[in-house]
Amino acid sequence: EAQVTQNPRYLITVTGKKLTVTCSQNMNHEYMSWYRQDPGLGLRQIYYSMNVEVTDKGDVPEGYKVSRKEKRNFPLILESPSPNQTSLYFCASSPTGLSAEQYFGPGTRLTVT
Amino acid sequence: AQKVTQAQTEISVVEKEDVTLDCVYETRDTTYYLFWYKQPPSGELVFLIRRNSFDEQNEISGRYSWNFQKSTSSFNFTITASQVVDSAVYFCALSEMGTNAGKSTFGDGTTLTVKP
């Protein structure tokens, strides 16, 4: 089944404890992206990757890191999480950049205390 | 900078009513794509439609229709004869193909509640 998977789905952590949210797609898509969703703010793009080894900042990249060493994986790293990073995170992929629709993962709900 | 405005935060209708969700966008690019996504209460994001900047034809898919007007920078979404299952948050999104290629901007979303 074609899909985007994210792990973990739920995470509660403490301020400053490094964490990684994994994202993987099995559709051989070139493009991948991370978003955060906060009440009343829609989806805001954190980072995106047009292809392997190519990543760029979105609108809200502060406090996050990403890497794209393989086409299928695009992990989101929070080196020192803070409470303002409590949010719902979505990973997405798209076959050919942004002329095509994005396929979204199920979301990861992160709480930083 | 690209921007998407969904001025209607929440809309509530009674089943079988028609409802239009507004989307206004800003971009300096001449080539761009517009999208609508649906997020039902279960939380997943579901693609509904894509439209490129050179195609102003309106589209109808069952009870759903979309009106794209470049003159007013709008891409509105109408649900005819709404049903309870249409209750969801709807997002309009914009992707540019020029210098900001790769960036995707979403509106804040419109929460639609359809009451039986």
Side-chain angles (χ1 to χ4, degrees):
Chain A
E1 180 191 355
Q3 60 183 348
V4 178
T5 56
Q6 295 179 227
N7 283 291
R9 294 288 314 280
Y10 303 90
L11 179 61
I12 300 175
T13 189
V14 296
T15 299
K17 185 177 181 182
K18 181 180 178 179
L19 67 92
T20 299
V21 183
T22 64
C23 173
S24 183
Q25 50 95 2
N26 62 1
M27 297 169 279
N28 201 36
H29 285 172
E30 303 276 333
Y31 178 93
M32 297 185 75
S33 183
W34 276 103
Y35 299 87
R36 59 177 290 173
Q37 183 178 11
D38 301 291
L41 295 178
L43 279 82
R44 293 180 292 168
Q45 193 174 39
I46 304 171
Y47 271 95
Y48 61 94
S49 169
M50 299 288 275
N51 213 325
V52 176
E53 301 292 0
V54 179
T55 62
D56 279 295
K57 296 177 181 179
D59 291 324
V60 289
E62 295 78 21
Y64 305 95
K65 285 176 59 176
V66 293
S67 68
R68 186 94 181 271
K69 295 186 171 65
E70 310 164 276
K71 200 172 191 178
R72 63 182 294 127
N73 296 323
F74 191 44
L76 179 69
I77 303 157
L78 285 72
E79 295 268 1
S80 182
S82 62
N84 64 12
Q85 291 179 299
T86 292
S87 187
L88 178 58
Y89 291 87
F90 286 99
C91 180
S93 71
S94 178
T96 56
L98 291 183
S99 60
E101 67 271 22
Q102 295 182 68
Y103 295 75
F104 286 85
T108 295
R109 187 165 293 282
L110 172 66
T111 301
V112 183
T113 61
Chain B
Q2 55 191 49
K3 184 178 179 182
V4 176
T5 302
Q6 295 180 253
Q8 305 148 307
T9 304
E10 296 182 8
I11 300 176
S12 182
V13 299
V14 176
E15 208 168 21
K16 296 185 183 176
E17 283 186 30
D18 298 349
V19 57
T20 295
L21 282 59
D22 298 332
C23 173
V24 174
Y25 62 93
E26 295 177 28
T27 178
R28 293 178 181 173
D29 269 11
T30 55
T31 305
Y32 52 88
Y33 285 81
L34 295 162
F35 303 83
W36 276 95
Y37 291 88
K38 174 182 180 180
Q39 186 177 42
S42 50
E44 71 272 24
L45 283 152
V46 178
F47 164 76
L48 295 177
I49 191 171
R50 172 189 66 205
R51 176 65 76 229
N52 74 55
S53 53
F54 299 108
D55 181 4
E56 286 194 74
Q57 272 197 328
N58 293 329
E59 181 154 342
I60 298 174
S61 175
R63 296 184 297 106
Y64 295 172
S65 62
W66 291 269
N67 184 319
F68 176 32
Q69 291 196 336
K70 286 179 74 171
S71 61
T72 56
S73 297
S74 65
F75 186 42
N76 297 336
F77 173 29
T78 297
I79 302 174
T80 302
S82 59
Q83 299 177 1
V84 173
V85 293
D86 295 327
S87 296
V89 182
Y90 291 87
F91 293 101
C92 181
L94 166 68
S95 298
E96 294 176 342
M97 296 293 110
T99 53
N100 285 325
K103 280 199 170 181
S104 182
T105 299
F106 282 71
D108 292 345
T110 297
T111 300
L112 174 64
T113 301
V114 181
K115 298 178 181 176

